Amino acid sequence: MSNNKLFYMPLIAVLLLFSFAFPFFTSSLHEITSDVIKNSLTAQLESLEANNYDELLNNEPQMLQNYVLSQSFNKNDQRLTIIDINGVVKADSSHKTVEQMHSHAHEPEFLQAIKHGQGSAMHFSEALQIEMLYVAKKAVLANGTYVIRLATPLASIKTVEQRVLLLLGILILATIILVAIVSFNLNKRTRIHLMERQKSYEKILLGKNREFELLNQLANYLAACKSFDEAEKIITNLVPKIIGEVSGSLSIIKDSRNLVEPKIHWLKDSNTQVPFAPSECWSLRKGHYHLTTESDITIRCEHTAEEQEQMLCIPLSAHGNTIGVVHFDIQGKLSDDKMILVKSVVEHLGLAMANLKLQYQLRSQALKDPLTGLFNRRFLDEHLELEISRANRHGKSLSLLMVDFDHFKRFNDNFGHDAGDYVLKEIATLLDKNTRKENSVCRVGGEEIAILLPETSKEDAALLADKLCSLVRKLHLKHRGQSLGKLSISIGVSSFPDDADTAFDLYKHADSCLYKAKADGRDRYSVDVQEYSDNKNKCESNPVELSSIANGN
């Protein structure tokens, strides 16, 4: 509908213009045409040779009449009349004889000519019985004063007007046709342009909607992450889809606040690959984004490679704290819309990283022992059942080592609790470093430590137990310059499904083997409890058993 309006509006405007202007034009046309013909008649009167009439007027009147009749006025539908001062017609080009013509003394053009030298009027001609336009001029000759009058029928004026109106109609029609053609072409071009603009806007809108969808997905997935490894998979997958083929990296400031460590890269290895000081990044100094080239000034961060032309660093902030920086390798000029999008992505990343860091801290506080840094009893409660279920489902082995420091109470009495805590931390570190990443070393109470060994047979667990006993035996520690003497541990070994098929029984069997190792002289490991039933009975009444496992069985 709007396109049709666009097409018809110029035509309607032209028609309205001509409709309002036409009456004024026709009325003005009559006046203009009359003036033009009147001026033409006046010019003809002035061109007449008055001397010829003076000579003829002195002769016979018929000679003057014959001369006037011989002129070409009749051929042009014009009438020439010569009138004396009294209004008597002396000659007339429309009559062969003038004796019978009435007096012209009262004709308005005659009176004007006598009074002002020239005059004009429109009135009915009794001689010709038609309306005519008269122009008269006074001529003072040698033998008297005369009025020379020239007239033309009003019909000739109307003929001229009709011709002008015809030309005007043709011009109006041509104008309407021209306007129609121009309007059609303009409308066509406008439609094409509007369609192109609409497609362009639709494309931009679809792109914006896609960006919003991806940003929403990024926020939702990051909010559901439980680890940095999960966040890395999501970031490397979604961030390039949101901001395009722009490589980059995400770096986290360490808790010491003196080092920034790159954690995540996407698309390709970023120029920022090694840890750097916070002072090496201008964005961390300024507290907001930094472009390598901005406002004709090139300032490069020290942590970036020099061969990269354009780089963007944005601080990673959340809850009012700066926790890191995001680095982008920019190709070409960065538009305002792209900058807004990149900042939005960084905001989501900042919140996600802060939440993951908080989750990690809370989880560490809940599942780790504050003295040794090992996992605690709660962690063992959760994962022992999980690992047994997993081993049972996949037909794998699972082993559990129960480790206890020998004579630890006497050690505390002799050297003090500070030395005891120091020994606990050192031996806990030794045990953790000499087990696989998949294994879990947990402090379950006092000086007792449990080591969970997924996919480990009883024989391999025994070899590890022997190795750990040997390492502790060789350990020589000093506390405040004082040697702490010989250290040793005892270990009980239990394996699924050889010794037990439930978490409670597996823990119970490992604890019984630990008692047997202590009964056999300490500083050793044990994998069997058959020969020491008394210790087994003691284990069953030991209050150190897993409360959650016992309650579950």
Side-chain angles (χ1 to χ4, degrees):
M1 184 67 183
S2 60
N3 291 336
N4 293 333
K5 287 182 179 180
L6 188 64
F7 174 71
Y8 290 119
M9 283 299 291
L11 293 177
I12 295 173
V14 171
L15 291 175
L16 289 175
L17 176 63
F18 285 133
S19 298
F20 284 109
F22 189 76
F24 298 100
F25 180 78
T26 53
S27 62
S28 300
L29 177 64
H30 180 73
E31 296 178 1
I32 294 171
T33 306
S34 300
D35 291 340
V36 169
I37 294 179
K38 189 185 299 182
N39 293 333
S40 176
L41 294 175
T42 302
Q44 290 184 52
L45 282 177
E46 291 176 353
S47 67
L48 291 176
E49 297 180 0
N51 293 332
N52 292 335
Y53 298 115
D54 189 18
E55 182 180 352
L56 291 172
L57 286 170
N58 291 328
N59 298 316
E60 294 292 331
Q62 189 60 40
M63 292 180 64
L64 178 61
Q65 176 68 13
N66 292 337
Y67 176 79
V68 170
L69 290 174
S70 67
Q71 299 302 308
S72 59
F73 295 107
N74 290 334
K75 295 180 181 180
N76 297 329
D77 294 330
Q78 293 178 343
R79 179 185 178 186
L80 177 65
T81 306
I82 298 176
I83 309 168
D84 65 10
I85 193 66
N86 298 316
V88 178
V89 177
K90 294 297 183 177
D92 191 296
S93 64
S94 61
H95 290 77
K96 292 183 179 181
T97 59
V98 296
E99 289 80 4
Q100 298 178 354
M101 296 186 67
H102 68 279
S103 174
H104 286 49
H106 300 290
E107 299 295 342
E109 69 275 8
F110 175 81
L111 297 174
Q112 292 176 18
I114 292 299
K115 185 177 181 180
H116 301 292
Q118 62 180 11
S120 63
M122 291 184 187
H123 56 82
F124 184 76
S125 174
E126 295 180 359
L128 299 179
Q129 297 294 305
I130 58 173
E131 292 283 341
M132 297 193 75
L133 171 64
Y134 296 92
V135 175
K137 183 178 180 182
K138 183 170 70 172
V140 180
L141 303 178
N143 59 348
T145 300
Y146 293 87
V147 174
I148 302 174
R149 188 182 69 176
L150 189 61
T152 187
L154 288 180
S156 63
I157 297 177
K158 293 181 179 179
T159 301
V160 173
E161 292 178 358
Q162 290 174 357
R163 290 178 180 176
V164 173
L165 290 175
L166 178 61
L167 291 175
L168 178 62
I170 294 173
L171 179 62
I172 292 174
L173 181 61
T175 302
I176 293 174
I177 294 173
L178 180 62
V179 170
I181 294 173
V182 172
S183 299
F184 177 78
N185 291 332
L186 180 61
N187 186 40
K188 183 178 179 181
R189 291 182 181 180
T190 302
R191 285 202 307 268
I192 294 173
H193 179 68
L194 290 176
M195 290 176 64
E196 291 177 352
R197 291 289 296 273
Q198 182 178 0
K199 290 180 180 179
S200 175
Y201 287 143
E202 288 177 353
K203 185 177 180 181
I204 294 173
L205 184 60
L206 288 175
K208 293 294 183 183
N209 289 338
R210 179 60 177 166
E211 290 174 358
F212 290 146
E213 289 177 1
L214 291 173
L215 278 174
N216 189 44
Q217 289 184 17
L218 179 67
N220 290 336
Y221 278 115
L222 289 177
C225 286
K226 293 185 177 180
S227 66
F228 281 99
D229 291 337
E230 289 181 350
E232 181 178 7
K233 294 178 182 178
I234 293 168
I235 291 172
T236 54
N237 183 272
L238 287 179
V239 169
K241 293 180 180 179
I242 298 174
I243 63 175
E245 298 297 317
V246 178
S247 61
S249 64
L250 184 149
S251 304
I252 300 296
I253 301 176
K254 299 191 73 172
D255 293 337
S256 60
R257 307 298 294 179
N258 63 352
L259 200 63
V260 184
E261 188 176 7
K263 292 289 186 180
I264 301 174
H265 303 272
W266 56 87
L267 288 186
K268 65 178 182 180
D269 289 340
S270 174
N271 290 319
T272 303
Q273 297 182 1
V274 296
F276 57 93
S279 60
E280 296 180 23
C281 181
W282 280 100
S283 68
L284 293 178
R285 288 195 199 180
K286 297 189 298 181
H288 58 87
Y289 78 90
H290 173 71
L291 270 172
T292 302
T293 303
E294 187 175 17
S295 301
D296 299 327
I297 300 175
T298 301
I299 301 178
R300 189 180 303 278
C301 294
E302 295 181 20
H303 64 91
T304 59
E306 294 185 357
E307 63 269 11
Q308 186 66 31
E309 295 182 359
Q310 183 77 304
M311 287 164 290
L312 171 66
C313 294
I314 302 179
L316 199 63
S317 302
H319 311 303
N321 297 320
T322 301
I323 61 173
V325 63
V326 181
H327 169 83
F328 297 94
D329 298 329
I330 305 298
Q331 302 295 330
K333 187 177 179 180
L334 192 66
S335 65
D336 293 338
D337 290 341
K338 182 68 73 174
M339 175 64 80
I340 294 173
L341 182 62
V342 168
K343 288 182 178 178
S344 180
V345 170
V346 173
E347 287 180 6
H348 287 294
L349 295 180
L351 289 173
M353 294 299 105
N355 290 336
L356 284 174
K357 189 174 183 180
L358 180 61
Q359 289 180 26
Y360 178 78
Q361 292 174 347
L362 293 175
R363 188 170 179 82
S364 296
Q365 293 173 4
L367 299 180
K368 285 199 171 183
D369 175 59
L371 176 64
T372 62
L374 301 177
F375 291 111
N376 59 16
R377 179 69 172 270
R378 178 182 295 178
F379 180 89
L380 183 64
D381 288 349
E382 293 177 359
H383 283 72
L384 186 56
E385 288 278 9
L386 179 63
E387 292 296 340
I388 287 180
S389 176
R390 185 178 296 163
N392 187 37
R393 183 168 62 252
H394 297 290
K396 301 290 185 177
S397 299
L398 172 69
S399 296
L400 179 68
L401 304 184
M402 293 300 299
V403 182
D404 189 77
F405 295 94
D406 295 332
H407 305 297
F408 192 71
K409 184 178 181 305
R410 188 171 61 189
F411 183 89
N412 277 336
D413 294 338
N414 293 335
F415 297 101
H417 289 283
D418 289 344
D421 290 343
Y422 172 71
V423 171
L424 272 176
K425 288 191 288 184
E426 291 298 320
I427 295 182
T429 301
L430 183 145
L431 297 178
D432 190 46
K433 287 184 176 180
N434 287 277
T435 56
R436 297 179 303 170
K437 183 179 179 180
E438 296 80 7
N439 300 337
S440 301
V441 183
C442 311
R443 183 187 180 193
V444 295
E447 69 276 12
E448 192 171 8
I449 294 176
I451 304 177
L452 188 59
L453 307 172
E455 299 185 14
T456 303
S457 65
K458 191 171 185 176
E459 291 76 12
D460 291 335
L463 291 175
L464 177 61
D466 184 63
K467 175 184 176 182
L468 295 177
C469 288
S470 177
L471 290 173
V472 173
R473 191 181 305 122
K474 297 177 181 179
L475 192 63
H476 298 283
L477 297 177
K478 288 184 177 181
H479 182 65
R480 296 179 180 177
Q482 182 180 9
S483 176
L484 300 180
K486 180 181 178 181
L487 301 173
S488 64
I489 57 174
S490 299
I491 303 176
V493 182
S494 179
S495 183
F496 171 90
D498 296 339
D499 301 319
D501 55 4
T502 66
F504 176 78
D505 292 336
L506 187 66
Y507 190 92
K508 178 180 175 181
H509 189 275
D511 210 21
S512 298
C513 290
L514 174 61
Y515 272 98
K516 183 177 185 301
K518 286 186 172 292
D520 288 344
R522 293 180 174 81
D523 192 15
R524 67 193 64 209
Y525 71 93
S526 175
V527 297
D528 194 0
V529 295
Q530 295 297 327
E531 298 179 1
Y532 198 75
S533 58
D534 292 340
N535 283 340
K536 181 178 180 181
N537 293 331
K538 290 181 181 179
C539 179
E540 291 175 352
S541 60
N542 184 11
V544 186
E545 294 170 351
L546 289 172
S547 60
S548 61
I549 296 177
N551 294 334
N553 290 276

